[in-house]
Amino acid sequence: MSTAKSSPALQGASPLASALLTPIAGTLHEVGSLVLFLKLILRTALTTSGNTPAVLEQILSICQRSLATVTFAGTFVGAIIVLQFNAVLLVYDAQIFLGGLNTSAIVREIGPLMITFILAGKIGAFTAAELGTMRVTEQIDAVECLGTNPVQYLVLPRFLGIVISSLILLALGIMISMVGSTFVATVLCGMNPLQYMSTITRFVGGWTLFCGAAKSFVYGVIVGGVACHKGYTARGGARGVGTAVTQAALYMSLFVILANYFTSNALNWIYDFLAAALGWVNG
Amino acid sequence: MSIRFENLSKSFGPKTVLKNVSFEVATGEILFILGKSGMGKSVTLKHIVGVMKPDEGRVFVDGRDVTQLDDNGLADVRRKCGMVFQHPALLDSLSVYQNVSFGLRTPQYIRSLPRPLTEEQIRAKVTETLRLVNLGTDIFDRYPPEISYGMQKRVSLARTLAPGPTYLLFDEPTTGLDPITTNAVNDLIYELSRKLKVTSVVVSHDMQCALKIADRVLVLDNAGILALQTVPEIKRSREPLIRDFLQETLALLPPEERAELEANA
């Protein structure tokens, strides 16, 4: 956000206005830079030959590195949500809906967010640091000088790897959290596993799965975009790489939360529209 | 065919690093660019390969204006210019063999050949290039962090030489090296420039090295050119900055050269 401090538009503003506007201007500046960088990635993807082995290598590496964390988080997040929903549903004598509500919440909201924050903390920070180090040690300049497009060779595989992995890890995380939640519902909440699962299909349909996948895709684009952008534009030695990683962590979280609000609203609006047009009853 | 700068200006924020800089590098010569830190030496070099864009002015390589080229045109110019960076800038995830052969697998290089090189031909070329920088094939499978900094610099040089550039651009090639390796790298630059008959531009702080191997020396100061002279002219220069640079090297020079410089001073 420091870039906005020197913004000519804010010079001459009162200290209070400046204190309020500087973070907003800084965030908008970051959004603008990210959009331009994503445009560069898209243009590179459309105009250059793909590097499928490098993308597959990234996906494999990301999934391998995140598997243990996703398993651990997925199991416990599923279990925690079951306990919370169960306490409320028991009050209304509606424990039968526990499986459906729990799975819907995980697929629609908690799963994509959980996977994204794991990806941001583990892979996003790593990618920003890796590309940042490559930038400050002139590896990116060297690749460019050897006649290779660094966005095509270094950024695109990492970006696509993060986006595709976020979808794979989401599917994995949902399945693991369902195992964890079914176990807790059976052992601690006294439900029969079949009874627990009986309402899942009433709450989770194709639209719910689409919502989860769409959110995960958008968050993956944000994590991949911010991590690659911050690393690729890092400047000034070890301190510059440190700054890039810190800023990447900050903006990945901030933008994902903002995107969550907007994608939730947009998906609800699209659902209402389609429901009215096609006569859908539930998702 | 040569490299030519015309009225090049470049600023970073409020700081003007280069202002109306014009000079030409003749074919086959070794030009040293000297100056204090932050005087735009590396910036000058990066303009040749289009890694940086000037605020004003033009840079010509083989008669083509680098500042106006599209991505394909730039890639073509970069294929002719081999750049050795201040850091070894080797890709950590690739082995020495993969690093040196990197430039031989780029589309621009492949397009310049009648047919792509086979893996055996690439291997032979990498072996030959590593031999030029006094390294053997025993380090083929090692990764950059597993070899010494001096070796990394040599591998970096080999990677630059492998595609057979017409121009060699060195950005402080001896920074961070011990005196023995520094001398070895300087000798290497001279030998390679002469043996391969390429035009070389070397950015450095090292006046001793400039006196030893340069054909001409360009001194940058206060965003402009302070001097562009041959080595004998530089030795006779009365410019205080140049005298300071010469003074630094006195102790390292052979007695007869030291006496000559002291007489000029």
Side-chain angles (χ1 to χ4, degrees), chain B residues 68-90:
Chain B
Q68 302 298 321
L69 292 176
D70 59 9
D71 287 350
N72 285 334
L74 274 178
D76 205 32
V77 166
R78 284 169 187 158
R79 199 191 65 73
K80 290 180 184 170
C81 299
M83 183 142 174
V84 180
F85 289 88
Q86 190 172 346
H87 300 280
L90 298 172

Side-chain angles (χ1 to χ4, degrees), chain A residues 58-204:
Chain A
Q58 286 294 326
I59 293 171
L60 193 68
S61 160
I62 292 169
C63 289
Q64 263 179 356
R65 281 183 285 163
S66 311
L67 194 63
T69 322
V70 168
T71 307
F72 182 81
T75 309
F76 282 94
V77 166
I80 292 161
I81 295 167
V82 161
L83 291 175
Q84 297 293 350
F85 272 140
N86 187 53
V88 178
L89 291 174
L90 277 177
V91 175
Y92 296 99
D93 197 20
Q95 200 192 25
I96 187 71
F97 297 118
L98 184 60
L101 269 178
N102 183 63
T103 311
S104 175
I106 286 173
V107 172
R108 272 177 185 268
E109 198 64 49
I110 296 157
L113 277 179
M114 175 185 77
I115 297 301
T116 302
F117 284 120
I118 290 172
L119 268 180
K122 202 155 187 177
I123 308 300
F126 176 85
T127 304
E130 189 184 27
L131 286 175
T133 306
M134 284 182 165
R135 171 60 78 190
V136 301
T137 57
E138 297 177 315
Q139 290 180 45
I140 293 178
D141 288 341
V143 166
E144 203 169 357
C145 287
L146 284 163
T148 299
N149 181 342
V151 176
Q152 178 196 5
Y153 183 72
L154 297 171
V155 175
L156 199 55
R158 283 168 175 77
F159 175 78
L160 290 177
I162 290 176
V163 174
I164 297 168
S165 298
S166 73
L167 294 169
I168 296 170
L169 291 173
L170 174 70
L172 195 71
I174 288 171
M175 284 191 276
I176 290 166
S177 71
M178 280 179 73
V179 173
S181 58
T182 309
F183 178 77
V184 171
T186 311
V187 175
L188 297 180
C189 305
M191 284 186 84
N192 179 317
L194 291 176
Q195 190 188 14
Y196 174 79
M197 290 182 189
S198 64
T199 52
I200 290 179
T201 49
R202 284 176 64 184
F203 284 80
V204 182

Side-chain angles (χ1 to χ4, degrees), chain B residues 94-97 138-144 146-148 151:
Chain B
L94 303 182
S95 67
V96 166
Y97 176 74
D138 52 315
I139 58 163
F140 261 13
D141 297 325
R142 288 163 77 177
Y143 284 81
E146 297 169 1
I147 56 176
S148 72
M151 282 168 108

Side-chain angles (χ1 to χ4, degrees), chain B residues 106-122:
Chain B
T106 59
Q108 284 73 29
Y109 182 75
I110 292 169
R111 268 203 296 272
S112 71
L113 303 170
R115 71 176 68 90
L117 297 178
T118 61
E119 198 55 43
E120 289 75 39
Q121 286 171 316
I122 289 177

